[in-house]
Amino acid sequence: MPHEEPRTPAGVSQGVPFRHRSRDAARTLPEGWAPHRSIAVTVVATDDPAGLDLTLSALAGQTCGQELLDIAVVVGTSGASDLAERRPERVRVVTAEEGWGRAAALHAGVAATDGEILVWFEAGDVPAPETLTEVARWHDRIDDAVTLRTTTYLGNLDLRPEELLLPDAAGLEPLIAATDGAPGAAETPEPDIEPSFADVTLTSISTSRDLYSRAGGLDPALPHGGERDLVHRLAARGAVLVPAPLAVVVRAGEEPLASSLRAADPFDAQRVPLDGGRLRSVGRVWQVPLVHAVVRCDAASARFARACVERLLASRRTDLHVTLVAPWSDGPQGTPDVLAAALEWFRADPRVTIAADAPDDVFPAAFRLDVPVVAGLGPDSLGDILDVAASRHAGLVRVPAPGGDVALLRTAADARARRYLPDVDNLQKRIDAVWGVWWARLDDIVDLSTVDHLDSPMLLDDPTDHGGPVSSTVPPATAAPTQAPLPRGFRAPLGLMRDGLRGLVRELARRLGRGSRR
């Protein structure tokens, strides 16, 4: 089992958000601050446009200034009825040209507007008068903010949405009290870790157009889902989640059941590595991997590549992709035989990519795992390292190993560090400033340079055993690399068994006996 301790006590650098503690690093706005950045508002009215007039009336009453708003109403192919008489100055009606799903509608509004801050609403939503001002405030205080608005459903409140449109906002006080937005709400504790976006929809958040573009935007071709995929990619690009309890939106009716919000799970799960249902699935591979592992080799070390990569692929955590980096670009011509053989061994494996250069960025995978080619991971090693990252919310987990450290890097932490600390060359210092660094020591990592018959096939003894509970780490001062025995769960073929032929016979007898009892 690994031991654990932080390498250094991580703290907040001036002006640099640590994980999602945005208020610790938020800029102080000047006295007399007022919203000044343009705001692109998308109102989705494709399914039920009945409440559109109410939403437009509420947007017309925003205190941020009508000149800042650029509003697109996305309607179905049948078009829209006449817009509300009381509406903002800049409103256009658009249809989704690139697809027919919800993602296409949400993206259509972004494509039709020019505002710097992106906000989405459903037809029928009623934002309180200060909502967009509060959103703009946080985008001025924190770069790459994703603000999470407070959405209140009126099913249990004695309040009509129209009351929010009164000049004195008389109906707002009970609403604020019901949403815990009373005085002092600005000090609401923030999530310290990567938040769960299981039930987050785009119509409850805002982000910047720049971050939206860097995250790849919505895929309008998706017939279902797409929102949680985008939110995952925003987070993977280093977004800072900012709960904004004073940015209040009211919706009529009852809050939908979580099950209805997750109707698109199978479509999002292929693209969202941290999807809860997906993490509970075993023996699977997905479109976007949880872990992208990188193994480098050259002609001198190529004899270890096959064993190193095979041990990664035999991990009990199968949700990974491996890039094998080798000096090969145009083909095997002139490539030493041992290197050509290693590359050919994995050429058709869908979980292995062969490349001449290591990827600079593994986005949108959630983690990058760098493995020295002489380090043979055990079947539980990857799971143990992931457990450290999860339990300690670490941005970087390092494990001393033969040939150097095995390093698990959180993609979101890497993006945040590159964004805020581009001049800090040392990776460990950068990640420690934005997310924290932890060290682990594992006893099931093999020094492949001491193993004979590296090209022998390996069998996973019990593929139904998917590892134990969350584990952790030890500081490098006490975590010296050690050579471990062959990983638990693997069996070598004839000639490599520790006890020779008799051991193999006993193993076969045990398996045959177990099969005969079924």
Side-chain angles (χ1 to χ4, degrees):
M1 287 290 292
H3 305 281
E4 49 125 330
E5 240 174 59
R7 178 186 179 278
T8 56
V12 178
S13 300
Q14 185 64 37
V16 179
F18 184 75
R19 296 178 187 147
H20 292 277
R21 301 176 192 169
S22 55
R23 288 179 176 85
D24 291 338
R27 289 184 289 269
T28 301
L29 299 179
E31 186 176 352
W33 173 90
H36 58 92
R37 300 169 67 182
S38 57
I39 303 173
V41 178
T42 298
V43 182
V44 179
T46 53
D47 295 329
D48 182 12
L52 179 59
D53 289 356
L54 195 57
T55 301
L56 293 179
S57 295
L59 290 173
Q62 293 295 300
T63 60
C64 60
Q66 292 298 301
E67 69 281 1
L68 298 179
L69 301 185
D70 186 5
I71 301 172
V73 176
V74 184
V75 299
T77 54
S78 59
S81 58
D82 295 336
L83 296 179
E85 185 174 327
R86 183 175 187 264
R87 64 179 186 266
E89 299 170 4
R90 297 174 61 192
V91 182
R92 70 197 76 182
V93 177
V94 300
T95 57
E97 301 289 344
E98 300 180 63
W100 56 270
R102 182 173 171 81
L106 292 163
H107 176 73
V110 177
T113 54
D114 299 316
E116 298 175 61
I117 301 170
L118 305 181
V119 184
W120 293 267
F121 293 106
E122 304 276 6
D125 285 356
V126 181
E130 290 287 336
T131 292
L132 293 185
T133 297
E134 180 72 0
V135 166
R137 177 180 291 110
W138 278 111
H139 281 282
D140 266 11
R141 297 190 69 189
I142 293 286
D143 294 330
D144 291 345
V146 170
T147 62
L148 181 60
R149 304 192 299 271
T150 299
T151 301
T152 295
Y153 292 85
L154 297 183
N156 296 320
L157 291 179
D158 184 19
L159 179 69
R160 298 189 308 277
E162 291 85 349
E163 294 183 54
L164 292 180
L165 306 181
L166 298 175
D168 59 355
L172 196 57
E173 291 185 7
L175 173 65
I176 290 180
T179 58
D180 295 325
E187 305 305 321
T188 299
E190 296 177 299
D192 183 39
I193 62 173
E194 190 71 25
S196 170
F197 291 115
D199 299 328
V200 169
T201 61
L202 288 191
T203 50
S204 63
I205 69 168
S206 67
T207 187
S208 69
R209 185 177 294 271
D210 175 64
L211 180 58
Y212 179 87
S213 298
R214 282 188 281 120
L218 284 156
D219 182 356
L222 285 177
H224 302 281
E227 295 180 70
R228 290 178 56 228
D229 168 40
L230 175 62
V231 174
H232 156 70
R233 285 184 282 113
L234 292 172
R237 282 302 187 205
V240 185
L241 182 72
V242 181
L246 299 183
V248 176
V249 176
V250 173
R251 289 180 184 165
E254 301 286 346
E255 184 172 3
L257 297 174
S259 58
S260 65
L261 293 173
R262 294 172 183 159
D265 270 4
F267 301 91
D268 284 322
Q270 284 290 350
R271 297 164 173 247
V272 182
L274 297 174
D275 176 89
R278 170 173 158 174
L279 291 173
R280 291 188 292 272
S281 295
V282 296
R284 292 290 313 278
V285 293
W286 307 84
Q287 179 179 337
V288 176
L290 176 67
V291 177
H292 189 134
V294 178
V295 177
R296 295 177 175 84
C297 74
D298 53 23
S301 62
R303 62 194 180 96
F304 306 116
R306 175 173 163 181
C308 178
V309 174
E310 285 220 347
R311 281 168 167 77
L312 279 168
L313 297 178
S315 170
R316 302 185 201 282
R317 299 293 291 268
T318 58
D319 192 359
L320 83 158
H321 188 88
V322 180
T323 292
L324 177 57
V325 182
W328 153 313
S329 56
D330 300 322
Q333 297 83 1
T335 303
D337 290 345
V338 66
L339 178 56
L343 298 176
E344 179 64 18
W345 185 257
F346 297 109
R347 178 176 57 82
D349 194 309
R351 287 202 290 161
V352 180
T353 297
I354 296 169
D357 299 300
D360 180 59
D361 184 9
V362 300
F363 173 89
F367 296 95
R368 173 185 180 132
L369 183 74
D370 283 280
V371 181
V373 71
V374 295
L377 271 62
D380 297 309
S381 298
L382 176 58
D384 285 342
I385 298 171
L386 286 168
D387 285 346
V388 174
S391 63
R392 299 302 175 185
H393 320 305
L396 175 65
V397 178
R398 307 196 81 134
V399 181
D405 294 337
V406 173
L408 182 77
L409 176 63
R410 189 184 294 266
T411 304
D414 185 35
R416 175 84 58 78
R418 294 183 191 216
R419 179 79 165 157
Y420 280 87
L421 303 169
D423 298 327
V424 179
D425 294 330
N426 185 283
L427 172 67
Q428 189 162 296
K429 289 183 178 179
R430 290 203 312 264
I431 302 302
D432 202 36
V434 299
W435 222 282
V437 176
W438 287 73
W439 287 81
R441 181 172 59 201
L442 302 179
D443 59 5
D444 61 349
I445 298 181
V446 180
D447 185 346
L448 296 176
S449 67
T450 67
V451 176
D452 297 326
H453 305 285
L454 287 167
D455 59 349
S456 300
M458 298 187 310
L459 300 174
L460 188 59
D461 182 41
D462 184 4
T464 64
D465 178 8
H466 293 278
V470 172
S471 345
S472 352
T473 66
V474 161
T478 61
T482 58
Q483 294 180 10
L486 281 173
R488 172 171 54 87
F490 287 105
R491 296 292 182 266
L494 183 64
L496 296 181
M497 292 293 295
R498 207 172 336 196
D499 296 329
L501 181 58
R502 286 177 297 177
L504 180 60
V505 171
R506 285 196 301 269
E507 177 70 2
L508 289 173
R510 181 181 69 82
R511 295 192 182 195
L512 290 172
R514 183 172 59 187
S516 66
R517 291 191 294 270
R518 294 174 182 171

